Amino acid sequence: MAGAKEIRTQIGSIKNTSKITKAMEMVAASKMRKAQNRMAATRPYAEKMRKVIGHLFHAHPEYKHTFMIEREVKRVGYIIVSSDRGLCGGLNNNLFRKLVKELKEHRDAGTEVEFCTIGNKALGFFGRFGGNIVSQATHLGDMPHIEDLIGTVKVMLDAYAEGKIDRIYIAYNSFVNTMTQSPTFEQLVPIPSTMEEELKHHWDYIYEPDSKEVLDNLLGRYVESLVYQAVVENGACEQSARMVAMKSASDNAKNLIDELQLIYNKARQAAITQEISEIVGGAAAV
Amino acid sequence: MAMTIHVDIVSAEGEIFSGVAEMVYAPAVMGEVGIAPRHTPLVTQLKPGEVRVDTGSGKDIQHFYVSGGILEIQPHVVTVLADTAIRAADLDEAAAQEAKRRAEEAMADRSAEFEYAKAQSELAEAVAQLRAIERIRKGKRG
């Protein structure tokens, strides 16, 4: 039987760990609520933006923006949204694993890939993975601001406008519910033409000052808002994944402690029994 | 019954206003535009300033400060995609003054072309904020 003292210290250390995981669980739970609210708050903007872009596809702008034109794909760009910190279960790894599978297909097809990483984890992973990281943003905190992302996204969009990249995807975890987050890939630009609905009649907007400037501005903002939404959603995913991971860690710790406590009690009992029988035996011998 | 137009004002960080109005005024880059119901479709950029929503029927005109953005007009819907739009009444005048002072300081120190351009836009924003606050004050007194 292992020494009672060793078991006692082991129980002590597990107890300490479980205190930490319990605290992290509670912190994550409260942050999750906030992150979910933020996610809900950003939704109207994204919806309106989508509507306006939808109208634009309805209309017939005399100026075709590069974001609206499909071209042959030789190089693709990926904007990868991840968390800054770990201890959130398989959240980042699931995303990366699915992404690596996609990347392999690109490699087999002979297309080159460039990355733009948001969050520490993606930066670390794709740094090791051996890709070309053109831009990155880390330490966005719990309250990401769109200003923090504009620069990062612009690098990608500029590369697209210059023809260095022919297609840009975004990879992030979309929030299904507290227990489920699903890794999602979406095509950012060229803007998927599935948004084109049936055309009712021929019309166009009046553009002020002119269509080129307005469209440049609008489509840039559209992409930014999509990326921003992805970041906010990924933030909510991170917190809920962490909460679940920490909850299961606390539960495991509790089970371990129960088991060890049982072993400890048995060992203690055995020691006492042995001592008594020794005393009794000794007394009988006298 | 007077004709109305639906107005949505949203920013990336939340919804600001949604409702019907008789008239909407917005600071477009080429000058202020007034939008009545059944306006022709139009898209334009906004410059820092205030968006006024006249809800009609003798109610107050509502003011919203925007620091730029996009305005989209459909015959019955006006959408303002604001960069930052906070309720004008909530604007902190001290903060606006501070921003203006900082911007002016930076203007005086034209060390870099980039900083000058940034400062100029900051100044334009601060001035627009102050104007919005003044107008609200006058409206309250009057």
Side-chain angles (χ1 to χ4, degrees):
Chain A
M1 207 86 215
K5 192 155 182 288
E6 275 99 70
I7 298 176
R8 215 163 39 213
T9 46
Q10 211 173 348
I11 289 174
S13 87
I14 293 171
K15 261 186 189 155
N16 282 339
T17 313
S18 82
K19 265 181 208 157
I20 295 169
T21 56
K22 190 92 202 149
M24 283 183 79
E25 180 194 333
M26 286 192 285
V27 170
S30 88
K31 279 190 178 172
M32 183 187 74
R33 256 190 303 273
K34 279 186 212 150
Q36 271 174 323
N37 288 343
R38 219 168 0 253
M39 199 171 71
T42 60
R43 207 160 274 158
Y45 185 81
E47 265 168 27
K48 292 283 148 28
M49 196 54 131
R50 229 165 262 156
K51 218 188 220 167
V52 172
I53 298 285
H55 287 160
L56 259 184
F57 272 94
H58 267 293
H60 299 264
E62 68 268 42
Y63 165 74
K64 274 268 176 196
H65 195 273
T66 47
F67 286 4
M68 295 157 101
I69 301 166
E70 289 270 353
R71 50 189 191 214
E72 204 195 335
V73 182
K74 291 200 202 84
R75 289 170 84 94
V76 292
Y78 271 93
I79 298 178
I80 304 152
V81 185
S82 73
S83 68
D84 267 335
R85 272 175 267 174
L87 287 181
C88 49
L91 183 79
N92 291 317
N93 282 331
N94 287 344
L95 181 72
F96 296 161
R97 211 178 306 137
K98 204 173 158 197
L99 194 55
V100 165
K101 228 181 264 171
E102 278 240 333
L103 294 177
K104 215 167 256 163
E105 279 169 30
H106 280 302
R107 241 168 228 186
D108 293 344
T111 40
E112 288 179 61
V113 183
E114 292 196 349
F115 301 115
C116 159
T117 63
I118 296 169
N120 255 337
K121 291 289 159 190
L123 181 65
F125 184 87
F126 287 94
R128 265 176 282 131
F129 183 74
N132 183 16
I133 299 176
V134 289
S135 67
Q136 55 110 340
T138 52
H139 302 294
L140 296 175
D142 295 325
M143 262 188 281
H145 288 293
I146 203 152
E147 299 94 70
D148 303 329
L149 297 169
I150 289 173
T152 323
V153 176
K154 196 169 157 37
V155 176
M156 270 276 165
L157 293 183
D158 284 350
Y160 179 85
E162 285 165 20
K164 285 184 193 152
I165 295 176
D166 304 302
R167 196 169 273 182
I168 302 177
Y169 293 96
I170 185 163
Y172 67 101
N173 281 294
S174 70
F175 188 90
V176 183
N177 57 42
T178 314
M179 303 299 288
T180 343
Q181 300 86 30
S182 70
T184 311
F185 306 135
E186 271 170 27
Q187 184 178 326
L188 278 183
V189 280
I191 294 163
S193 51
T194 45
M195 290 176 61
E196 255 174 293
E197 292 155 45
E198 80 284 4
L199 295 166
K200 282 179 201 130
H201 55 273
H202 190 98
W203 63 277
D204 196 5
Y205 284 110
I206 298 172
Y207 299 93
E208 263 180 45
D210 60 73
S211 60
K212 184 179 180 302
E213 199 166 314
V214 173
L215 285 183
D216 280 352
N217 208 315
L218 182 61
L219 294 178
R221 239 162 258 210
Y222 171 67
V223 173
E224 275 160 21
S225 84
L226 285 184
V227 176
Y228 179 71
Q229 227 213 342
V231 170
V232 171
E233 206 161 319
N234 199 69
C237 287
E238 180 194 345
Q239 296 305 341
S240 57
R242 177 166 301 134
M243 190 186 82
V244 172
M246 288 301 121
K247 188 168 169 49
S248 75
S250 308
D251 290 350
N252 283 346
K254 198 163 163 274
N255 287 344
L256 260 182
I257 289 171
D258 285 350
E259 268 169 39
L260 283 175
Q261 193 72 49
L262 198 67
I263 294 171
Y264 172 72
N265 287 348
K266 272 187 186 155
R268 186 172 146 273
Q269 199 107 46
I272 292 168
T273 316
Q274 199 187 354
E275 221 167 276
I276 290 173
S277 65
E278 271 167 14
I279 291 168
V280 172
V286 171
Chain B
M1 193 193 128
M3 275 210 295
T4 53
I5 188 164
H6 191 87
V7 188
D8 287 306
I9 305 178
V10 289
S11 82
E13 279 155 34
E15 185 173 66
I16 288 139
F17 177 84
S18 179
V20 290
E22 281 186 0
M23 194 81 183
V24 184
Y25 306 89
V29 278
M30 314 239 330
E32 195 178 63
V33 288
I35 306 137
R38 305 185 66 171
H39 193 286
T40 184
L42 177 130
V43 222
T44 182
Q45 283 158 252
L46 295 178
K47 61 183 180 187
E50 57 167 8
V51 174
R52 280 172 291 143
V53 179
D54 188 352
T55 45
S57 59
K59 277 187 213 152
D60 283 342
I61 293 178
Q62 299 207 40
H63 301 255
F64 304 94
Y65 168 74
V66 292
S67 65
I70 306 266
L71 173 75
E72 191 238 7
I73 302 166
Q74 289 281 329
H76 297 287
V77 187
V78 177
T79 311
V80 179
L81 299 164
D83 287 351
T84 313
I86 314 155
R87 293 294 290 254
D90 295 340
L91 279 183
D92 191 346
E93 193 181 23
Q97 292 279 15
E98 171 68 18
K100 194 177 164 188
R101 190 188 58 76
R102 260 205 318 264
E104 274 166 354
E105 245 170 44
M107 285 259 268
D109 176 28
R110 290 189 201 182
S111 51
E113 192 66 25
F114 167 72
E115 276 180 17
Y116 178 64
K118 198 176 151 203
Q120 220 167 13
S121 72
E122 266 176 28
L123 180 65
E125 257 179 48
V127 168
Q129 284 184 350
L130 283 175
R131 203 175 301 139
I133 291 164
E134 262 163 37
R135 189 160 318 166
I136 288 164
R137 282 218 182 119
K138 256 183 227 156
K140 269 185 191 152
R141 254 178 238 144

